């Protein structure tokens, strides 16, 4: 199967060729023909499967096939994403794939000045990529008109719900044209996603490329059991011993990310942290430095790392296991992308055994466990409650979820 077989026309084939994509990925093979038939889809696909091109290419193809309109561009497609990082990465992809088409796009998210966004919107664009909060600001100050859109795409919809965006999404949807094609992408199928898709989608085609909630098969996973107090020493050892040049490290809390970053720097390993307390500029710079190889280690919390797109990222380290098991799948999905091999190592202390049990239940397999020579855990150390960063209600709750008013509230630290 080639991109041409999928029915894409010359300007898009040229862009794909320039990206050196030889063949479509499974999600692209499945989603593109269905989207081109103008059907709604509910797609279960994680980051790293090529899903962005999977919805952007057919979107552009349908725009190319539509009758050209005269005058200033009206917004024809809205792509909603949960985080700023994902929004800017999707925006970059849209720009890349639209390079040889006449279509323009702009990205809208909070944490940066609103003025340049107003200027871009006033000029007129065809495609808007946005996070819900800032988009609602534009809607309420009437700086954006979404009443003509033909396409709505919700990317990582499960994460948007996890982050509490449901009401924002409902408000946004209320302003959209009803005559539209809607594409919903989600890594997991929760009841909340089913409810949202029932409301939003019209006779959707279900597309799945990997079983939801299974961890990526080309990622080699391992658990290194280690005492909590020796995790940093082990991490430094692994990085130096393996001569790792690009490592994404996850911590549970923002404070933990900062502290680890400082400690690695002391060990002579260049590192930067990204989390919700960092300004957008600091986050963008840290990510750029990491991609360019100026820093070896990027320490991230779950939400900040969501959607980070780094080609051929070889190593992901869980310095601490996530308290929400699904985050484990998302974390290790940062490596082993688009067919590349990856390694995900979790440094697990005795306090985290309950988290590990839940993760293995979710991914339905045992992760190989090893002790590294010189780092064998001290059996006399007993498990202690995990401090989730000052949230008393969340102390030592392995699943970190509780029911409130019928909806699941997750305990989440950014
Ligand atoms: P995504 O799942 O959209 O975040 O894409 C993951 C990575 O796969 C990105 O770095 C893309 O550039 C890359 N990619 C997307 N489609 C293809 C393809 N057909 N062949 C090779 N790489 C691809």
């Amino acid at each position: 199967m080639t991109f041409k077989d999928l029915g894409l026309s010359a300007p898009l084939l040229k862009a794909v060729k320039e990206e050196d994509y030889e063949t479509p990925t499974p999600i692209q093979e499945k989603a593109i023909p269905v989207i081109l038939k103008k059907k709604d889809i509910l797609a279960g696909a994680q980051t790293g499967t090529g899903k962005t091109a999977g919805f952007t290419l057919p979107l552009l193809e349908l725009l190319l096939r539509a009758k050209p309109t005269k005058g200033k561009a009206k917004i024809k497609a809205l792509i909603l994403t949960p985080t700023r990082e994902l929004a800017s990465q999707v925006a970059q992809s849209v720009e890349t794939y639209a390079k040889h088409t006449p279509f323009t796009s702009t990205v809208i998210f909070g944490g940066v000045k609103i003025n340049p966004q107003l200027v871009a919107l006033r000029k007129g664009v065809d495609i808007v990529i946005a996070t819900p909060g800032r988009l609602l600001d534009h809607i309420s100050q009437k700086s954006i008109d979404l009443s003509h859109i033909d396409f709505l795409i919700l990317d990582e919809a499960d994460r948007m719900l996890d982050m509490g965006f449901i009401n924002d999404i409902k408000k946004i949807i209320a302003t959209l044209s009803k005559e539209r094609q809607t594409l919903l992408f989600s890594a997991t199928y929760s009841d909340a996603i089913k409810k949202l898709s029932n409301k939003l989608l019209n006779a959707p085609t279900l597309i799945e490329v990997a079983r939801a909630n299974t961890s990526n098969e080309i990622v080699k996973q391992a658990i290194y059991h280690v005492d909590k107090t020796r995790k940093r020493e082990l991490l430094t050892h692994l990085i130096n011993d393996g001569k790792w040049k690009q490592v994404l490290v996850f911590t549970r809390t923002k404070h933990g990310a900062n502290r680890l970053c400082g400690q690695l720097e002391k060990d002579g390993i260049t590192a930067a942290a990204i989390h919700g307390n960092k300004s957008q500029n600091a986050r963008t710079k840290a990510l750029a430095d990491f991609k360019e190889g100026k820093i070896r280690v990027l320490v991230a919390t779950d939400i900040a790392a969501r959607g980070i797109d780094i080609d051929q990222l070889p190593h992901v380290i869980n310095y601490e296991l996530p308290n929400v098991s699904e985050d484990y799948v998302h974390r290790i999905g940062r490596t082993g992308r688009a067919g590349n091999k990856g390694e995900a190592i979790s440094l697990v202390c005795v306090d985290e055994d309950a988290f590990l049990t839940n993760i293995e239940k979710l991914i339905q397999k045992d992760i190989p466990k090893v002790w590294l020579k010189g780092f064998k855990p001290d059996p006399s150390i007993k498990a202690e409650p995990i401090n989730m960063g000052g949230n008393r209600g969340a102390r030592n709750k392995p699943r970190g979820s509780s029911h409130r008013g019928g909806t699941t509230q997750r305990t989440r630290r950014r």
Side-chain angles (χ1 to χ4, degrees):
M1 174 81 69
T2 64
F3 281 102
K4 201 169 172 193
D5 298 336
L6 290 175
L8 301 176
S9 46
L12 302 176
L13 294 176
K14 194 170 173 200
V16 162
K17 193 155 181 254
E18 284 167 3
E19 287 304 292
D20 292 327
Y21 300 169
E22 282 167 12
T23 49
T25 65
I27 183 81
Q28 291 161 1
E29 226 170 80
K30 286 186 182 168
I32 292 175
V34 180
I35 299 172
L36 289 180
K37 281 191 198 136
K38 303 199 173 180
K39 294 194 68 146
D40 284 2
I41 65 165
L42 172 58
Q46 291 163 13
T47 320
T49 51
K51 69 183 163 67
T52 316
F55 61 73
T56 307
L57 290 170
L59 162 67
L60 291 166
E61 179 65 34
L62 289 174
L63 293 179
L64 283 169
R65 289 181 192 177
K67 259 202 291 184
T69 47
K70 290 209 179 81
K72 199 171 89 169
K74 284 202 176 111
I75 301 167
K76 299 175 185 74
L78 172 66
I79 303 173
L80 281 179
T81 75
T83 64
R84 301 161 188 178
E85 276 79 13
L86 186 60
S88 71
Q89 277 167 26
V90 170
Q92 267 172 24
S93 298
V94 171
E95 236 173 72
T96 303
Y97 304 134
K99 210 185 319 174
H100 305 293
T101 75
F103 304 118
T104 53
S105 57
T106 197
V107 63
I108 283 177
F109 51 67
V112 293
K113 288 197 185 110
I114 201 163
N115 263 351
Q117 297 175 357
L118 293 172
V119 173
L121 289 171
R122 243 179 261 132
K123 264 198 222 156
V125 286
D126 299 288
I127 302 168
V128 167
I129 303 100
T131 53
R134 178 59 70 87
L135 181 64
L136 268 183
D137 293 343
H138 282 282
I139 290 173
S140 61
Q141 65 182 69
K142 299 201 167 36
S143 47
I144 194 165
D145 177 12
L146 296 169
S147 60
H148 299 282
I149 67 150
D150 296 318
F151 303 94
L152 168 66
I153 295 153
L154 292 122
D155 196 9
E156 305 201 353
D158 49 345
R159 191 47 57 125
M160 283 198 263
L161 298 187
D162 279 356
M163 289 170 72
F165 282 138
I166 185 68
N167 286 330
D168 288 356
I169 293 173
K170 281 184 185 160
K171 280 186 212 157
I172 293 165
I173 285 162
T175 72
L176 305 181
S177 145
K178 291 203 170 43
E179 300 295 311
R180 57 157 203 266
Q181 186 177 0
T182 307
L183 317 174
L184 192 148
F185 286 79
S186 176
T188 52
Y189 288 130
S190 61
D191 286 344
I193 285 291
K194 277 182 208 139
K195 220 168 124 189
L196 182 70
S197 57
N198 285 342
K199 201 170 139 50
L200 276 189
L201 305 177
N202 181 14
T205 303
L206 206 70
I207 293 174
E208 215 174 348
V209 283
R211 204 151 43 94
N213 295 346
T214 53
S215 46
N216 206 334
E217 291 301 322
I218 47 175
V219 176
K220 207 174 111 201
Q221 301 172 61
I223 301 292
Y224 287 5
H225 277 302
V226 61
D227 291 334
K228 187 163 65 186
T229 52
R230 300 197 63 201
K231 280 191 178 185
R232 168 223 175 169
E233 199 187 330
L234 175 55
L235 178 62
T236 298
H237 170 80
L238 288 170
I239 294 171
N240 285 335
D241 197 50
K243 299 191 175 57
W244 293 348
K245 294 196 168 51
Q246 208 180 30
V247 196
L248 179 61
V249 177
F250 285 94
T251 59
R252 250 185 324 256
T253 64
K254 297 180 255 204
H255 180 62
N258 287 341
R259 195 175 44 212
L260 180 60
C261 222
Q263 289 171 338
L264 288 171
E265 291 277 354
K266 270 194 203 133
D267 288 344
I269 295 168
T270 48
I274 59 166
H275 51 64
N277 280 3
K278 296 263 176 183
S279 70
Q280 186 55 40
N281 281 348
R283 286 156 74 164
T284 308
K285 181 168 185 314
L287 189 58
D289 284 351
F290 184 59
K291 281 188 181 181
E292 286 166 24
K294 286 187 193 155
I295 52 167
R296 285 169 85 181
V297 181
L298 190 65
V299 187
T301 55
D302 288 289
I303 289 176
R306 187 72 180 153
I308 285 181
D309 183 16
I310 300 159
D311 280 340
Q312 300 176 9
L313 175 65
H315 306 284
V316 166
I317 303 289
N318 293 311
Y319 190 76
E320 291 152 336
L321 283 180
N323 55 311
V324 176
S325 302
E326 285 83 357
D327 283 341
Y328 177 84
V329 180
H330 292 305
R331 286 179 179 191
I332 73 164
R334 309 296 99 205
T335 183
R337 294 160 68 121
N340 292 308
K341 285 211 175 71
E343 185 177 36
I345 294 175
S346 303
L347 311 188
V348 178
C349 70
V350 62
D351 306 351
E352 296 169 296
D353 281 349
F355 292 164
L356 181 57
T357 308
N358 283 327
I359 288 165
E360 290 186 324
K361 224 184 270 169
L362 177 76
I363 64 173
Q364 293 169 16
K365 71 175 174 204
D366 285 332
I367 309 168
K369 293 163 194 75
V370 287
W371 292 320
L372 216 64
K373 211 170 161 227
F375 290 92
K376 195 172 171 180
D378 176 350
S380 70
I381 296 177
K382 297 275 170 290
E384 282 178 10
I386 289 174
N387 188 343
M388 306 296 295
N391 181 346
R392 260 183 284 141
R395 278 174 83 92
N396 206 21
K397 246 196 219 167
R399 282 305 303 257
S401 58
S402 60
H403 285 276
R404 245 185 258 160
T407 54
T408 300
Q409 302 282 331
R410 287 231 170 97
T411 312
R412 185 176 283 286
R413 305 258 115 219
R414 284 215 228 182

